[in-house]
């Protein structure tokens, strides 16, 4: 939902959408049972994940979760509200097994909430890796 004027991704992929948290956790559990040792949570803007399914809204009906950090503006107004967010997903996946390594990519720098950074610091199985894509908005650089 970051509609940069020079990026075609949101126009070809469409608006962001998030799978229900339970379906992702169940899939990772099946992978663990098959012997997988590391999972990578992947998305174009993975840390803007927001499960707004009925089950998620019932489980997390009201909360404050700041997706955009100070210094960044958020033009997409439909963020916030009930449901599960990316830190919740990382927490539940990392809870499955302390030996499972959990990584994620590609985050957007403006959507790094403190809850996610704290979780990364607290959990030894959440890899201490920050993938920060950098792009230029300069037409001459992009050409």
């Amino acid at each position: 939902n970051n509609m940069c004027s020079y990026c075609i991704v949101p126009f070809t992929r469409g608006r962001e959408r998030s799978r229900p948290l339970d379906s992702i956790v169940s899939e990772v559990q099946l992978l663990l049972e098959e012997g997988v040792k590391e999972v990578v949570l992947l998305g174009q803007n993975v840390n803007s994940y927001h499960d707004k399914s009925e089950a998620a809204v019932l489980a997390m009906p009201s909360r404050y979760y700041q997706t955009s950090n100070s210094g960044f503006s958020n033009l997409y107004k439909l963020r916030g509200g009930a449901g599960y967010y990316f830190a919740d997903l990382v927490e539940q996946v990392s809870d499955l097994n302390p030996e499972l390594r959990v990584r994620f990519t590609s985050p957007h720098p403006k959507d790094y909430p403190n809850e996610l950074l704290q979780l990364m610091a607290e959990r030894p199985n959440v890899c201490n890796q920050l993938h920060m894509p950098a792009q230029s908005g300069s037409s001459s650089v992009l050409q």
Side-chain angles (χ1 to χ4, degrees):
N1 295 331
N2 297 306
M3 300 294 204
C4 304
S5 61
Y6 52 86
C7 181
I8 195 167
V9 172
F11 300 100
T12 57
R13 180 206 63 222
R15 290 278 189 196
E16 293 174 357
R17 53 199 177 275
S18 298
R19 285 177 50 195
L21 181 137
D22 292 342
S23 75
I24 299 169
V25 172
S26 295
E27 183 176 341
V28 173
Q29 181 62 49
L30 289 173
L31 292 170
L32 272 168
E33 292 167 9
E34 293 176 7
V36 168
K37 302 290 183 197
E38 179 174 306
V39 294
V40 179
L41 302 172
L42 175 66
Q44 181 63 27
N45 186 10
V46 70
N47 52 346
S48 68
Y49 173 86
H50 188 188
D51 176 3
K52 298 179 189 177
S53 67
E54 185 177 336
V57 169
L58 288 172
M60 303 296 270
S62 179
R63 65 194 293 202
Y64 176 75
Y65 186 90
Q66 182 176 345
T67 54
S68 294
N69 291 305
S70 62
F72 290 98
S73 62
N74 189 356
L75 298 177
Y76 188 58
K77 302 299 183 195
L78 297 179
R79 293 185 188 257
Y84 291 114
Y85 289 89
F86 189 63
D88 302 316
L89 176 62
V90 173
E91 180 177 26
Q92 288 199 29
V93 168
S94 68
D95 279 344
L96 290 173
N97 184 326
E99 299 299 314
L100 175 69
R101 292 185 304 272
V102 180
R103 297 182 190 275
F104 58 89
T105 194
S106 290
H108 193 287
K110 75 173 175 50
D111 294 329
Y112 252 105
N114 288 332
E115 293 87 349
L116 181 57
L117 294 171
Q118 289 169 351
L119 189 65
M120 291 173 71
E122 293 169 0
R123 302 284 172 107
N125 64 334
V126 177
C127 298
N128 292 325
Q129 170 189 337
L130 296 177
H131 171 130
M132 285 295 194
Q135 298 184 112
S136 175
S138 165
S139 295
S140 61
V141 170
L142 292 170
Q143 291 173 349

